[in-house]
Amino acid sequence: MAIIEVDQLMKEFKVAKRETGFLGAMKSLVKREFYTKHAVKDVSFTVDKGEMVGYIGPNGAGKSTTIKMLTGILVPSGGTVKVNGIVPYENRQANAKNIGVVFGQRTQLWWDLPTIESFELLKEIYQVSHSRYKENMDTFTEILGLDEFINTPVRQLSLGQRMRADIAASLLHDPPILFLDEPTIGLDVVAKERMRTFIKEINKERDITVILTTHDMEDIEQLCKRMVLIDHGQKVYDGEMAVVKNRFGKIRTLVVDLEQHSKPLTLEKAEVFKEEAGKYWIRFNREDISASGVITQITQTHNIKDLTVEEPEIESIISRIYQEGFDGVEQPIPVKSGS
Amino acid sequence: MRYIDLYFKLVAAGIRAQLQYRFAFFMRIVGMLTSYAGTAITMWVMLYQFQELGTWNFYEMLFLFAIAVLSWGFCIILFFHFRSLDTYILNGTFDRFLVRPINPFFHFMAMKFDVASFGQFIFSIFIFIWVSVELHIHWTIANVLFLLAAVIGGVLIQGGLLVIISAFAFWTTKSEQFYWVVMYPARNLTNYPLVIYPKMVQWFTAFVVPFGFVNYFPASVILGKETPYFPENIGYFSPLVGIVFFIIAYYIWMLGLSRYKSTGS
Amino acid sequence: MFNYRLYWTFAKKSFLRSAVYRFDVWSRLGSNVIFLLMWGSIWTALYAGREEAGGVSFQAMLTYIVVSQFLSGVNGAGTPLWEIQEKVRTGDISLELMRPFDVPLRYLFADFGSVFFYMITALLPLYIILFFFMDLSLPNDPLIWLAFSFAAFIGFLIRYCIEMAFGLLTFFLVETGGVEDIFYFAMSLLSGSVIPLWFFPGWLASFASYLPFQGIYYIPNAIFIGEIAGYQILTSIGVQLFWVVVTYIFLRLVWNKASQKVVVQGG
């Protein structure tokens, strides 16, 4: 049963042009020119109850614009949205009771007050019954360890603590749908792991539908069975995470620092695509050859000073799918250097 | 009823948050007292040689000023944070008011409750007492009630203007600047009796942005001053003007909000 | 040692930057006009039809106010106090300590750029029109114009030094609420920007004459309308020069203390 239905969703913005130079500066004093930006173009998908979907795309792809339309903050320029049977922008307040929202970079808690007070205020705002509030608080305290900082003002919390508090706050009123915008951004490895475990747990035990945007490959791999990829406002892929991973996640990049580089580096089943001051970036497909196979080839002719193996970033997977289409011929994925 | 209960809970939280910064709180009161005293001193210096400003003497001007300060004090408590709506919009924190199941205007209004207006209350009450003695004002119950009603009207008018200014942020992503361009000069203008300004300006402050009803018209009623170009005792309309103006302001804000929802910026 | 090219670049950059913030230009001009209206009306009402008061004609007094509003437009286009305070709080100024330039001078030249932009695009057009349409008394002698311009420039420097120094006090204070208000009060009353010193009660006038604020508005305004004339112009400018040196030394002291604090305690 579909709990979220998005059909041919569109959003256009008018954006002012920036003038440059002295004359441009004088001109912009009086008049400004605008162009239309298509933030979301013709996006359709449905999400079933209890699903956990990764909504993925590079910065500026239209992710948060879509989330804003799903939460009722923005009115679409075209197409339809239904969340739990409600059109969010027509009935924002009713929709608000059905959803929990966490923005990773911005807290929804009262900055200067002890954390517990935010929970108490949200209880009033969402009219949560006393017994339900107590039950939820007990559960969240147990799983998220809220008690270690419940009396500390929000501004003094660590980022990890704040995120835990934020996610608990978003679930106080038992929403059937949860929107998580970059829930692990800026967290350390331990905190990220804890967050993921919690998200998995509430998805399973409470049957909460989760829509998640993230930049973190790990997040997607661990949390989302299904992913919707968008780029330049358009949907480029919608399907199983595993398929994308199989198709594109097999490419690895080996970066080696070689001692002496007078001899050319020739390799089989791998390709040098960048070279800089004795450093070589080598691409290979994990299925054709293992990393140690490539390394063995190199050591036959060169001495390796240092090496690292890089996994493809979500951005590069997306740009590839976008460029070639999902059924395109497999080619090595360009990997950004220095990461 | 639910909103009233919720308002007090939100406001109580706001006060607790503010009292975390006691020293800042104290210094703001000192600052406000200094700046109001500064304006009063400027008035005194101005009238040292001239005695009268458009038939208003120093004490009458102080009285006029004190009414403005008192209603502005309440206005700061309830609405002052509206001016920085642009910051909330720019850094994205405004969205949190839109993912909650309550009226966003109400939620935004209840978010802050600036109790640092003690400065205004101390100052204006001191001036009222001082001026009453100097001018031998007879305080009857009717007088006091009228003054209170006028102050409520003044709060609604100035609050309404703050609300309208904040609504500009929905269209232009700016509001704080509008405050400094429109409201700050307008408030300064009304510290002096409107009778000294060109007719156009007086007309404007009576019927367009009704700042005249904040202090000039009510003070004229209490002090028995003439208000040329305007009917006598027009000041009695202050509360009504306040209510109407605030309702208009509210609708402008809601209109801006719907515009925000279609542009997101 | 003085690197003209570098500081010239700061001025140029901030000139161009001002143009981007077109709203600032219009808004500042708008509030400048409202305050001009206010003080013009106040002085019209104070004179109440009299030709002259305290030996100064109404026309001269009105000119004084118009010139004063023009100068306050000029002074207001520089980096305002709250912005300096903000930059101290956010650590922007501390970061600039690492750069190979003198920070107070860098801000002064940046101010030159933005003030110049605001002057040619907004202030001068408006005030030239005002001088045409209003019945004001303009000096006939080009030397007076010259003296006025010079005095106004020195006044700008005095204001800059005081405002910057007050702003930098944020390094040492936890809360700046009271400081700001004292600064603005002194700036508006004791500088003679809205009431000329000759209308002050005697004791207050002599108090103000021992302070640097008179150099910002009172002296240039009074030179313009001829209340300060003849050799008095020279002594008045001398007083201004004295204060610009003193306030500059004050600014340097505050700045050195502040930068020491940043270096030792990391801001």
Side-chain angles (χ1 to χ4, degrees):
Chain A
M1 189 198 90
I3 195 164
I4 295 175
E5 294 166 75
V6 174
D7 190 31
Q8 297 183 316
L9 191 62
M10 302 256 275
K11 186 69 209 173
E12 293 169 357
F13 296 115
K14 277 213 166 96
V15 187
K17 269 184 199 162
R18 269 257 164 122
E19 308 276 348
T20 49
F22 177 74
L23 275 178
M26 296 302 244
K27 205 179 120 202
S28 68
L29 265 183
V30 199
K31 202 181 149 207
R32 260 184 205 181
E33 279 174 35
F34 294 89
Y35 64 92
T36 310
K37 190 188 156 200
H38 302 272
V40 174
K41 272 190 284 198
D42 231 5
V43 170
S44 308
F45 60 86
T46 58
V47 179
D48 286 338
K49 185 155 174 48
E51 252 193 298
M52 175 127 67
V53 179
Y55 196 64
I56 317 292
N59 281 329
K63 275 177 305 184
S64 47
T65 307
T66 313
I67 298 288
K68 280 183 178 177
M69 289 191 277
L70 289 170
T71 50
I73 295 174
L74 269 181
V75 182
S77 331
T80 57
V81 199
K82 256 190 186 171
V83 176
N84 208 12
I86 292 171
V87 179
Y89 60 92
E90 281 175 1
N91 210 338
R92 193 190 58 75
Q93 294 196 19
N95 186 53
K97 292 201 170 186
N98 287 332
I99 59 170
V101 186
V102 176
F103 298 110
Q105 281 151 316
R106 297 173 236 123
T107 184
Q108 310 192 57
L109 308 171
W110 276 252
W111 193 244
D112 290 316
L113 292 176
T115 314
I116 181 73
E117 297 210 21
S118 290
F119 291 120
E120 280 164 6
L121 287 168
L122 288 168
K123 168 182 180 273
E124 299 301 325
I125 289 175
Y126 285 97
Q127 291 175 290
V128 182
S129 75
H130 191 69
S131 56
R132 194 65 196 129
Y133 172 74
K134 235 186 131 295
E135 254 172 71
N136 272 341
M137 280 307 283
D138 287 346
T139 318
F140 299 147
T141 304
E142 194 188 321
I143 316 177
L144 290 166
L146 300 181
D147 44 349
E148 37 174 294
F149 54 80
I150 198 91
N151 289 314
T152 314
V154 174
R155 71 185 133 89
Q156 290 169 8
L157 300 186
S158 74
L159 190 57
Q161 291 174 329
R162 213 207 71 203
M163 282 308 303
R164 278 189 266 159
D166 249 313
I167 199 163
S170 72
L171 291 168
L172 270 185
H173 57 289
D174 295 311
I177 302 155
L178 180 62
F179 292 98
L180 299 171
D181 191 8
E182 303 279 0
T184 60
I185 197 164
L187 299 185
D188 62 53
V189 184
V190 182
K192 272 184 183 171
E193 207 42 57
R194 190 167 192 171
M195 190 56 78
R196 287 175 196 140
T197 314
F198 180 72
I199 295 171
K200 263 187 269 183
E201 212 167 299
I202 51 141
N203 170 248
K204 222 160 97 194
E205 278 172 18
R206 300 190 164 211
D207 203 26
I208 291 179
T209 311
V210 180
I211 309 284
L212 167 95
T213 77
T214 182
H215 270 90
D216 193 311
M217 260 316 241
E218 283 279 314
D219 279 356
I220 307 166
E221 282 180 31
Q222 289 199 21
L223 293 175
C224 310
K225 229 181 180 166
R226 173 182 165 201
M227 65 196 279
V228 175
L229 282 182
I230 87 161
D231 194 21
H232 295 93
Q234 280 175 318
K235 192 169 87 173
V236 290
Y237 175 73
D238 181 354
E240 287 205 17
M241 170 68 205
V243 175
V244 174
K245 227 186 122 189
N246 273 337
R247 200 69 167 276
F248 301 101
K250 290 172 296 193
I251 306 300
R252 294 287 179 273
T253 297
L254 176 68
V255 185
V256 285
D257 205 348
L258 301 181
E259 232 164 45
Q260 141 233 29
H261 43 97
S262 53
K263 267 180 270 178
L265 193 60
T266 45
L267 299 165
E268 270 178 43
K269 289 177 180 168
E271 172 201 15
V272 178
F273 67 97
K274 195 178 159 195
E275 185 189 339
E276 208 179 271
K279 253 191 172 182
Y280 292 79
W281 280 260
I282 300 154
R283 214 153 28 195
F284 62 96
N285 189 322
R286 208 172 51 175
E287 289 199 333
D288 299 339
I289 188 169
S290 66
S292 61
V294 180
I295 295 167
T296 316
Q297 284 187 58
I298 301 171
T299 47
Q300 281 166 4
T301 47
H302 293 75
N303 284 333
I304 299 176
K305 271 199 290 192
D306 196 9
L307 67 90
T308 48
V309 180
E310 289 172 355
E311 292 202 356
E313 287 185 326
I314 189 69
E315 268 91 351
S316 50
I317 294 184
I318 290 162
S319 72
R320 217 187 119 194
I321 296 176
Y322 189 71
Q323 279 160 19
E324 302 161 13
F326 190 70
D327 298 318
V329 191
E330 258 184 63
Q331 268 174 18
I333 298 160
V335 177
K336 267 195 201 160
S337 63
S339 53
Chain B
M1 267 324 280
R2 184 196 156 211
Y3 272 23
I4 293 172
D5 183 42
L6 189 56
Y7 184 74
F8 282 113
K9 283 190 170 123
L10 287 168
V11 151
I15 295 174
R16 280 197 300 278
Q18 195 182 15
L19 290 180
Q20 300 239 329
Y21 305 93
R22 268 162 231 261
F23 188 62
F25 175 74
F26 174 73
M27 284 308 282
R28 273 196 63 205
I29 293 177
V30 172
M32 283 178 184
L33 277 175
T34 319
S35 104
Y36 291 122
T39 307
I41 292 170
T42 305
M43 288 176 176
W44 179 77
V45 173
M46 183 189 297
L47 293 180
Y48 177 78
Q49 298 264 350
F50 292 91
Q51 277 85 43
E52 273 192 350
L53 180 74
T55 77
W56 290 60
N57 68 29
F58 174 59
Y59 295 108
E60 291 168 335
M61 270 172 61
L62 272 188
F63 186 74
L64 179 78
F65 181 47
I67 296 181
V69 170
L70 184 60
S71 62
W72 180 241
F74 286 110
C75 212
I76 287 185
I77 294 184
L78 299 170
F79 303 110
F80 199 41
H81 59 283
F82 271 80
R83 79 193 186 289
S84 38
L85 179 66
D86 53 353
T87 319
Y88 287 87
I89 288 178
L90 284 178
N91 64 26
T93 35
F94 184 70
D95 288 347
R96 86 167 187 216
F97 299 100
L98 294 175
V99 296
R100 303 238 168 101
I102 50 176
N103 180 326
F105 179 86
F106 167 80
H107 194 359
F108 190 70
M109 177 176 158
M111 182 194 54
K112 272 209 176 137
F113 193 83
D114 192 346
V115 276
S117 319
F118 276 130
Q120 273 87 345
F121 299 143
I122 297 168
F123 179 84
S124 52
I125 286 165
F126 170 76
I127 298 282
F128 280 141
I129 294 170
W130 184 25
V131 170
S132 302
V133 172
E134 290 287 342
L135 294 179
H136 311 291
I137 298 175
H138 274 288
W139 286 109
T140 61
I141 291 175
N143 251 354
V144 173
L145 283 180
F146 170 64
L147 182 65
L148 283 180
V151 168
I152 292 170
V155 174
L156 289 173
I157 291 166
Q158 299 185 85
L161 191 59
L162 272 170
V163 168
I164 292 174
I165 282 171
S166 81
F168 285 175
F170 291 128
W171 281 278
T172 63
T173 68
K174 286 192 178 73
S175 59
E176 177 102 40
Q177 257 179 318
F178 280 111
Y179 169 77
W180 289 107
V181 183
V182 180
M183 188 128 185
Y184 179 74
R187 289 209 303 116
N188 271 279
L189 222 60
T190 49
N191 287 342
Y192 300 90
L194 292 181
V195 63
I196 64 170
Y197 298 116
K199 201 173 156 186
M200 265 277 286
V201 177
Q202 291 191 44
W203 186 83
F204 190 82
T205 50
F207 301 118
V208 184
V209 181
F211 263 42
F213 290 93
V214 174
N215 60 344
Y216 173 63
F217 293 137
S220 300
V221 169
I222 294 173
L223 299 175
K225 306 289 291 183
E226 272 181 33
T227 49
Y229 309 128
F230 297 104
E232 214 177 312
N233 297 335
I234 187 175
Y236 285 120
F237 287 97
S238 270
L240 182 69
V241 170
I243 291 167
V244 171
F245 189 69
F246 193 82
I247 290 172
I248 294 172
Y250 174 78
Y251 279 104
I252 292 177
W253 202 86
M254 290 313 259
L255 192 71
L257 183 67
S258 65
R259 143 104 198 180
Y260 172 81
K261 284 185 173 177
S262 73
T263 60
S265 60
Chain C
M1 268 302 287
F2 188 71
N3 185 347
Y4 289 98
R5 291 266 296 276
L6 176 66
Y7 294 99
W8 172 242
T9 314
F10 287 135
K12 219 165 66 183
K13 273 249 150 43
S14 93
F15 179 90
L16 288 173
R17 212 176 64 107
S18 308
V20 180
Y21 298 97
R22 61 168 180 171
F23 183 76
D24 281 33
V25 173
W26 301 131
S27 69
R28 268 205 230 107
L29 195 67
S31 82
N32 188 276
V33 170
I34 298 179
F35 278 108
L36 178 64
L37 171 80
M38 175 173 127
W39 287 106
S41 303
I42 286 174
W43 280 101
T44 311
L46 286 173
Y47 268 69
R50 275 169 287 194
E51 275 299 304
E52 66 97 50
V56 180
S57 74
F58 174 63
Q59 196 192 30
M61 189 55 227
L62 204 57
T63 311
Y64 183 100
I65 283 301
V66 173
V67 172
S68 194
Q69 272 307 304
F70 172 75
L71 289 185
S72 86
V74 170
N75 279 298
T79 318
L81 183 65
W82 62 264
E83 201 177 314
I84 303 167
Q85 293 173 334
E86 196 59 31
K87 280 184 195 290
V88 173
R89 284 194 204 105
T90 56
D92 280 8
I93 288 197
S94 308
L95 276 180
E96 292 195 325
L97 266 176
M98 293 184 289
R99 303 273 157 78
F101 52 70
D102 182 74
V103 176
L105 269 183
R106 172 226 182 291
Y107 278 97
L108 178 63
F109 275 80
D111 277 6
F112 285 155
S114 47
V115 167
F116 185 62
F117 181 86
Y118 182 53
M119 245 165 86
I120 58 167
T121 55
L123 276 183
L124 280 176
L126 172 74
Y127 279 85
I128 287 172
I129 293 170
L130 281 181
F131 273 105
F132 264 110
F133 286 99
M134 286 173 74
D135 185 22
L136 301 172
S137 58
L138 301 185
N140 298 320
D141 189 347
L143 276 178
I144 300 289
W145 282 95
L146 195 71
F148 162 74
S149 308
F150 185 70
F153 179 66
I154 303 294
F156 180 84
L157 293 180
I158 295 174
R159 197 270 319 158
Y160 174 79
C161 292
I162 298 175
E163 192 153 359
M164 193 73 192
F166 265 76
L168 292 174
L169 286 181
T170 315
F171 273 111
F172 313 101
L173 301 172
V174 190
E175 187 52 46
T176 50
V179 174
E180 249 166 73
D181 292 294
I182 292 168
F183 170 78
Y184 283 119
F185 172 59
M187 252 337 208
S188 76
L189 183 65
L190 297 173
S191 67
S193 74
V194 291
I195 306 169
L197 264 51
W198 60 77
F199 285 129
F200 281 20
W203 60 271
L204 189 63
S206 46
F207 178 62
S209 70
Y210 290 117
L211 292 171
F213 302 105
Q214 52 164 328
I216 308 171
Y217 294 106
Y218 172 71
I219 291 176
N221 293 348
I223 290 176
F224 193 89
I225 63 163
E227 275 303 301
I228 293 178
Y231 75 94
Q232 279 185 326
I233 293 179
L234 291 179
T235 51
S236 297
I237 289 179
V239 169
Q240 276 189 308
L241 288 173
F242 167 76
W243 279 116
V244 83
V245 171
V246 173
T247 51
Y248 183 72
I249 292 170
F250 176 60
L251 168 61
R252 279 286 145 200
L253 276 175
V254 175
W255 174 245
N256 286 344
K257 281 264 177 231
S259 37
Q260 261 172 29
K261 189 164 182 277
V262 173
V263 176
V264 177
Q265 304 171 8

